[in-house]
Amino acid sequence: MTLITDVALRRVLDSRGNATVEADVHTESGGFGRAKAPSGASTGEYEAIELPVQQAIARAREDAIPRLVGEVYAGDQRAVDAALHAADGTDDFSHIGANSAVAISMAAARAGADVAGLPLFQHLGGTFRGNTFPVPLGNVIGGGEHAAEATAIQEFLAAPVGAPSVEEAVFANAAVHETAADVLADRGVACGKGDEGAWAPPVEDAVAFEVMAEVVETVTEEVGFEIRFGLDVAAAELYDAEAGGYVYGDRVRDTDEQIEYVADLVDEYGLAYVEDPLDEDDYDGFARLTERVGDRTLVCGDDLFVTNVSRLERGIEEGAGNSILVKPNQIGTLSDAVDAVELAVGAGYDPVISHRSGETEDTTIAHLAVGTDAPYIKTGTVGGERTAKLNELIRIEHNA
Ligand code: PGA
Ligand code: ZN
């Protein structure tokens, strides 16, 4: 193992045109790693704190870099991440910023892989991991916080559960995305795209369900394996306690009605996946829905768990959900993200490694998914910052 000799931080662009943090980590043997922080728009209340980029960089330079340079081995990820926590001194990275922390954590992992001469997924997972590939869940139609004047439900996702390979799955999702535009056009609906490249049509959710059902059937016939679809309801964004529940345009559903609504959707459309169907504080609602439909669909907590082991522990105790979304920047380091994956797997929860709506060409999550044998990854269908991850998965599958 070789010591970290330099950490450089800079401001670069993300896919929304906002600033984000890029980190370079160098080691004494000439090892090098580079990574960039993503950024959410429908962020959970309990996520680690993203600071304004210049502030995050200044504070990390002042307090974190001196604890890393000449002190920590790049390949010792636990030590890197412990140094980041020690430098921060809070429980939510509000001092150095989760954006600085996650960029440094991921760049150090890359440098560690470089020193070891291993692909990142193998450095992260070891030699007995990395033999299974995640099913890519791809956002095809969406609205919510990612596009104005579109659907209330944030994401309608293709789920190519029967795909024989990552490569086939990635192309199936692209075909679903393309076919969805055709079906929308046939209905006279013209639309642009939201932050993740999904179509953002000005239609009621009911229309999006019809379109998705038609499209996955069509593309399933074309490709010859099963494609289902799923949702990220991002219900915390719809929930308004004063209004008495979940606000869908003119209609408000209380918690019982929301559970009923989502459970009916699962059965009517054979949904493979339902993320954040209830508010980020509603463990009980998650548990009730999981009790009803958890044997036939994934009930995934994103804003509920925020990749946080303590919140996941509570969910496991209460039977809330059967799946967790894992976003390294929600918790600030790769070690914390891997801890969440391992706790989840041990409790029978399926981890879904995920991008954010604001992304870069960084491919770390593709390696994290393969290196942890995660059964799913959520990283869009088209657009350069999404295809960066998807194409990396194809390369990993081909040992390229
Ligand atoms: P975000 O959206 O990155 O804007 O939080 C993604 C999600 O909610 O899963
Ligand atoms: Zn989500």
Side-chain angles (χ1 to χ4, degrees):
M1 290 212 274
T2 65
L3 286 168
I4 291 174
T5 51
D6 186 38
V7 180
L9 301 176
R10 66 185 68 84
R11 177 180 71 136
V12 296
L13 278 173
D14 80 2
S15 55
R16 276 194 277 255
N18 294 332
T20 191
V21 180
E22 178 172 86
D24 287 357
V25 169
H26 296 265
T27 78
E28 59 185 349
S29 62
F32 173 70
R34 173 174 289 165
K36 282 170 268 299
S39 176
S42 74
T43 46
E45 190 181 337
Y46 304 103
E47 293 193 21
I49 304 297
E50 177 186 316
L51 291 180
V53 167
Q54 300 288 29
Q55 188 180 24
I57 289 176
R59 294 211 184 147
R61 277 189 188 137
E62 173 110 11
D63 293 323
I65 294 176
R67 287 177 183 264
L68 294 165
V69 171
E71 302 286 330
V72 178
Y73 295 111
D76 188 349
Q77 193 66 37
R78 291 273 173 201
V80 169
D81 294 338
L84 292 169
H85 277 292
D88 180 74
T90 72
D91 60 8
D92 58 5
F93 277 114
S94 52
H95 178 64
I96 65 168
N99 36 351
S100 274
V102 80
I104 295 170
S105 178
M106 298 193 306
R110 291 231 174 239
D114 190 29
V115 168
L118 294 170
L120 180 59
F121 73 86
Q122 207 172 2
H123 172 59
L124 295 174
T127 196
F128 297 111
R129 286 271 179 77
N131 297 314
T132 65
F133 286 86
V135 174
L137 303 172
N139 191 355
V140 171
I141 293 176
E145 293 295 298
H146 295 164
E149 311 298 327
T151 54
I153 289 176
Q154 182 177 284
E155 300 168 25
F156 293 77
L157 301 135
V161 292
S165 66
V166 165
E167 182 184 343
E168 296 292 336
V170 164
F171 278 88
N173 283 357
V176 171
H177 185 268
E178 190 184 349
T179 308
D182 297 342
V183 171
L184 286 163
D186 288 347
R187 289 171 175 246
V189 181
C191 60
K193 290 178 184 171
D195 285 351
E196 294 180 358
W199 303 110
V203 298
E204 296 290 317
D205 289 5
V207 175
F209 278 104
E210 285 173 21
V211 170
M212 286 300 292
E214 180 181 336
V215 171
V216 298
E217 196 185 322
T218 304
V219 180
T220 289
E221 272 169 31
E222 276 167 25
V223 297
F225 54 78
E226 188 183 15
I227 306 170
R228 291 162 72 186
F229 73 102
L231 309 173
D232 181 359
V233 182
E237 305 290 344
L238 302 176
Y239 187 68
D240 180 347
E242 274 172 32
Y246 299 87
V247 180
Y248 294 80
D250 302 334
R251 159 119 210 228
V252 179
R253 292 185 169 92
D254 68 20
T255 299
D256 288 347
E257 289 168 335
Q258 176 76 356
I259 291 170
E260 195 67 32
Y261 174 54
V262 175
D264 286 349
L265 291 171
V266 167
D267 288 336
E268 184 171 354
Y269 294 102
L271 299 179
Y273 178 78
V274 188
E275 180 183 326
D276 281 351
L278 291 144
D279 183 53
E280 62 202 325
D281 290 308
D282 194 0
Y283 285 89
D284 179 64
F286 264 83
R288 286 162 57 203
L289 181 66
T290 307
E291 176 76 31
R292 273 189 64 170
V293 299
D295 62 341
R296 52 194 181 277
T297 195
L298 291 177
V299 179
C300 183
D302 170 15
D303 294 345
L304 179 72
F305 295 137
V306 291
T307 317
N308 182 312
V309 162
S310 309
R311 293 185 65 86
L312 178 59
E313 272 166 358
R314 178 168 170 201
I316 292 166
E317 268 166 36
E318 297 189 24
N322 55 17
S323 170
I324 178 177
L325 210 69
V326 175
K327 294 167 165 171
N329 82 319
Q330 277 183 329
I331 194 70
T333 74
L334 276 180
S335 297
D336 291 289
V338 168
D339 286 345
V341 169
E342 290 183 346
L343 177 64
V345 170
Y349 279 51
D350 276 340
V352 180
I353 310 298
S354 174
H355 68 168
R356 301 306 305 247
S357 51
E359 266 294 343
T360 71
E361 59 276 24
D362 194 282
T363 61
T364 306
I365 60 165
H367 288 268
L368 181 63
V370 177
T372 58
D373 284 340
Y376 300 93
I377 185 169
K378 184 173 99 156
T379 188
T381 55
V382 295
E385 71 282 4
R386 316 293 153 187
T387 55
K389 284 84 164 158
L390 298 168
N391 289 339
E392 187 76 349
L393 285 170
I394 292 172
R395 278 181 219 109
I396 296 171
E397 183 171 64
H398 285 251
N399 283 317

